[in-house]
Amino acid sequence: MAFLAFLIIWLIACGIIYLAMPSEENIKTINSERIVRALLWLGGLLTLAVISAFLFFLDGVNISSEELELNAFGDYLAGSSTFLAFMWLIITVIIQTLELRNQHIEMTRMSQSADEQADSLRKALRFQALGYLEDKEDEKAQYLSDRLTIVGEVTVSFHERHKVIIGPTDFYARPKDGVAYAASILCDEDLRTSPMYNDMPINLTSEFDVDDHMFLVDLTSQASFVRKAVAPIKELAEEMGAVSNYEAWIQEADLDWLLDWEPRIREIEQEMRKLIAAGNGEGFSDTQRSVAAAFSKTQE
């Protein structure tokens, strides 16, 4: 009964100590050294108590006498030893558990630290990459601005020749509106309201001249220059995962519409070449019509 009482008390004490250990979520408060010290003190005190009880029980007792039979003495000694062995086994398991938990916590901290460092590195690299992208955009900014200025100039010239009622000089600031209005004059369609990049058939008017064709040639050339200039920047932005930054830059530079409309404008210019080759339009020489015919064949 005494052994059973000791065992129950010991298990309760170990359970209390184990439950008192902080969880991994509160890793800053773990102090395994204090817990190990407490376990060793508890084990030492219980061991001392068992040995003291054993010595007290044997005090003045002759083992070979009838007061204590050898079998009874052996049973008592075996029970005490078993209790002590089991107690120290539990202490060893708890200490090893603490060590493993501390190792796990330390590895968790190292993993979290590594993740934080990797995240900081990614942010730093992205910041540098965005700075590099902005530098490339700044390098092309003046060139692209000049191209847009030329688009405004040829558009204003077109509307001045066609004596547009709206003040043509406004198209310097609004080249998009000027190009849409010019395309509407050349086509049997109001392209100011319908998208310039739709798939509707092109119906060019037959009332055009060589200057109108040169307007389209200049327009497609400038749009092509813009596309070639921004292509490497767009590719760089895609590699960096910064497409939204590129798109915002294109919109801020007022170039998005020109890039979107380029295929449609080029299609209008090609249709005009076919009409020129067929003898339509005013002011074209035979050489120009022959060149237009040859170019149209290459596009078929």
Side-chain angles (χ1 to χ4, degrees):
M1 292 297 294
F3 170 75
L4 183 59
F6 270 119
L7 181 60
I8 294 175
I9 294 173
W10 169 246
L11 291 176
I12 293 174
C14 291
I16 293 174
I17 292 175
Y18 185 80
L19 293 175
M21 291 189 300
S23 62
E24 295 180 10
E25 298 176 355
N26 194 17
I27 58 178
K28 293 183 180 180
T29 61
I30 287 182
N31 191 344
S32 60
E33 184 178 352
R34 296 179 59 185
I35 297 175
V36 170
R37 189 182 297 116
L39 287 172
L40 293 176
W41 270 102
L42 181 59
L45 290 174
L46 288 176
T47 301
L48 183 60
V50 172
I51 295 174
S52 299
F54 175 70
L55 295 175
F56 177 79
F57 179 75
L58 291 180
D59 187 23
V61 177
N62 188 357
I63 298 177
S64 61
S65 66
E66 294 180 356
E67 297 179 18
L68 182 63
E69 296 180 358
L70 291 176
N71 290 337
F73 175 75
D75 292 340
Y76 177 80
L77 185 60
S80 301
S81 301
T82 301
F83 168 74
L84 293 177
F86 185 69
M87 177 189 68
W88 284 107
L89 176 62
I90 294 177
I91 290 177
T92 302
V93 171
I94 294 177
I95 292 175
Q96 289 180 347
T97 302
L98 283 172
E99 291 177 352
L100 290 174
R101 173 171 291 193
N102 286 336
Q103 290 178 4
H104 176 69
I105 290 172
E106 187 63 27
M107 292 180 63
T108 301
R109 287 176 175 170
M110 293 175 61
S111 177
Q112 291 175 351
S113 177
D115 291 341
E116 292 174 358
Q117 292 179 358
D119 186 59
S120 300
L121 181 59
R122 283 194 295 270
K123 290 180 179 179
L125 290 176
R126 180 171 177 80
F127 180 78
Q128 293 178 358
L130 290 176
Y132 178 74
L133 181 63
E134 291 177 358
D135 291 341
K136 290 296 182 182
E137 292 172 349
D138 292 340
E139 289 178 6
K140 296 293 184 180
Q142 187 59 50
Y143 175 81
L144 296 173
S145 178
D146 293 342
R147 304 283 75 73
L148 195 61
T149 298
I150 295 175
V151 170
E153 290 174 351
V154 298
T155 303
V156 168
S157 177
F158 175 90
H159 288 292
E160 286 177 342
R161 288 187 291 101
H162 284 267
K163 297 180 173 58
V164 176
I165 297 176
I166 300 176
T169 55
D170 294 341
F171 294 140
Y172 276 119
R174 297 179 292 107
K176 176 181 179 180
D177 297 337
V179 171
Y181 199 6
S184 299
I185 294 174
L186 296 175
C187 300
D188 188 17
E189 179 183 359
D190 188 357
L191 296 178
R192 292 172 297 174
T193 56
S194 61
M196 280 285 289
Y197 43 80
N198 61 22
D199 296 328
M200 296 177 62
I202 296 175
N203 297 314
L204 281 174
T205 177
S206 59
E207 298 179 359
F208 62 88
D209 56 25
V210 64
D211 291 328
D212 294 334
H213 181 247
M214 288 306 302
F215 161 71
L216 290 176
V217 171
D218 290 338
L219 198 58
T220 54
S221 297
Q222 298 307 316
S224 178
F225 292 154
V226 169
R227 183 173 297 280
K228 290 179 180 179
V230 302
I233 299 177
K234 181 180 180 181
E235 183 179 354
L236 179 63
E238 291 174 347
E239 293 177 356
M240 294 167 44
V243 177
S244 58
N245 298 71
Y246 163 79
E247 293 176 348
W249 170 64
I250 289 296
Q251 291 179 358
E252 184 179 357
D254 194 28
L255 295 171
D256 52 327
W257 65 270
L258 186 59
L259 295 173
D260 290 339
W261 290 6
E262 180 195 5
R264 189 66 168 176
I265 296 172
R266 190 176 299 278
E267 187 178 356
I268 294 174
E269 192 270 333
Q270 291 174 358
E271 289 297 320
M272 184 172 285
R273 284 181 184 271
K274 293 179 181 179
L275 293 178
I276 294 171
N280 296 294
E282 299 179 359
F284 294 95
S285 64
D286 293 339
T287 302
Q288 289 174 318
R289 294 187 185 280
S290 299
V291 172
F295 182 83
S296 297
K297 289 182 179 180
T298 61
Q299 299 298 316
E300 294 178 356

